[in-house]
Amino acid sequence: NAIHSARNEFSDCRTKDEYAPCRAIINLARLLCAVATGMHHSSGDEEEDTLAVREERAVTLLQVVQDDINTTKQAVSSATTGSSGRVCILLPEAVVPIYALMEMNSILFAIFGWGKKRSRTRVAAGALAEAAQQLQDLVMDMSSTLGSIPTNELSDVSPGNICSYVESGEGKTMVEAVVKHVDKAHLETRQRVMPFLDQMITNLTTYSEEMPP
């Protein structure tokens, strides 16, 4: 039963959209191994280990990574101000590991002659640049979600008709206090997270730079 359950969980991880960030992290880690050592998967088939083969494997893995980042991006695109907490959770759980692994792969690619400035001449560098663009778009969407949080004075929201207690003076005071605390928390969240997102957006732009003529 435990083995069957583990297999089902592994199958879910490979197919369900909610696991897309995790799959992107795993495949970027696999990419490091595939390029650095030539190891790919344990299919039992002997394959020739050449630089061209490693580059081909890299492109294949990066295409999967792009799809998973795009899936994550679609989820963030539908987020609202009220779900800014989810965006903040996604940053340390997925975006930072993806970004860090992408940077490590970028350094490795440069050793093999597939550096950032060869994105238009080497397919692997181009695939990495496209994945970086997807990640940059994701981070920009996260930034946009946090950007919807007001930066001026805390909103003056009317409590509305919830119940007779809320309509009383004491009830209105309580609800207004809660609203102000929530707004303040949103604002502080934006102030903490936005600098990280801005820095990642700036760094990811370098993946599309071309070599000078």
Side-chain angles (χ1 to χ4, degrees):
N1 289 337
I3 295 176
H4 181 70
S5 176
R7 285 176 177 171
N8 287 339
E9 186 173 346
F10 179 72
S11 178
D12 288 345
C13 181
R14 296 178 64 182
T15 57
K16 288 187 176 180
D17 288 351
E18 63 188 282
Y19 292 107
C22 179
R23 289 196 301 268
I25 293 170
I26 291 171
N27 282 314
L28 283 170
R30 290 178 62 197
L31 178 60
L32 281 172
C33 293
V35 174
T37 68
M39 295 175 60
H40 184 46
H41 55 74
S42 55
S43 62
D45 298 329
E46 292 292 333
E47 293 186 71
E48 185 181 8
D49 181 23
T50 65
L51 196 59
V53 169
R54 293 191 189 190
E55 187 172 16
E56 183 180 346
R57 291 172 181 170
V59 171
T60 300
L61 284 169
L62 282 167
Q63 288 171 343
V64 177
V65 170
Q66 289 176 44
D67 291 341
D68 287 328
I69 294 176
N70 187 54
T71 299
T72 306
K73 176 179 174 293
Q74 292 173 7
V76 172
S77 296
S78 61
T80 61
T81 303
S83 60
S84 58
R86 175 57 191 153
V87 170
C88 293
I89 292 173
L90 193 63
L91 179 63
E93 284 188 351
V95 174
V96 169
I98 290 173
Y99 173 75
L101 281 165
M102 199 167 287
E103 287 284 277
M104 284 188 275
N105 275 291
S106 174
I107 294 171
L108 180 61
F109 277 30
I111 295 174
F112 282 82
W114 313 332
K116 295 178 181 179
K117 294 185 178 182
R118 296 185 179 274
S119 61
R120 296 188 182 277
T121 58
R122 302 296 309 200
V123 289
L128 185 62
E130 290 174 7
Q133 182 63 60
Q134 290 280 3
L135 181 60
Q136 185 182 35
D137 290 344
L138 168 60
V139 176
M140 290 177 71
D141 281 353
M142 294 171 65
S143 180
S144 178
T145 298
L146 293 178
S148 63
I149 298 172
T151 56
N152 51 7
E153 294 183 4
L154 303 179
S155 56
D156 184 14
V157 181
S158 176
N161 298 322
I162 301 175
C163 62
S164 56
Y165 172 74
V166 173
E167 292 177 352
S168 68
E170 182 181 356
K172 289 180 180 179
T173 300
M174 179 192 70
V175 173
E176 288 172 354
V178 171
V179 169
K180 289 184 183 298
H181 279 301
V182 171
D183 281 350
K184 184 178 180 181
H186 283 163
L187 180 57
E188 291 177 348
T189 295
R190 171 178 175 157
Q191 292 171 339
R192 289 195 303 269
V193 176
M194 288 292 280
F196 292 99
L197 301 182
D198 291 341
Q199 185 61 51
M200 278 193 285
I201 290 170
T202 299
N203 290 349
L204 288 167
T205 303
T206 64
Y207 282 77
S208 300
E209 292 181 350
E210 298 182 39
M211 291 186 68

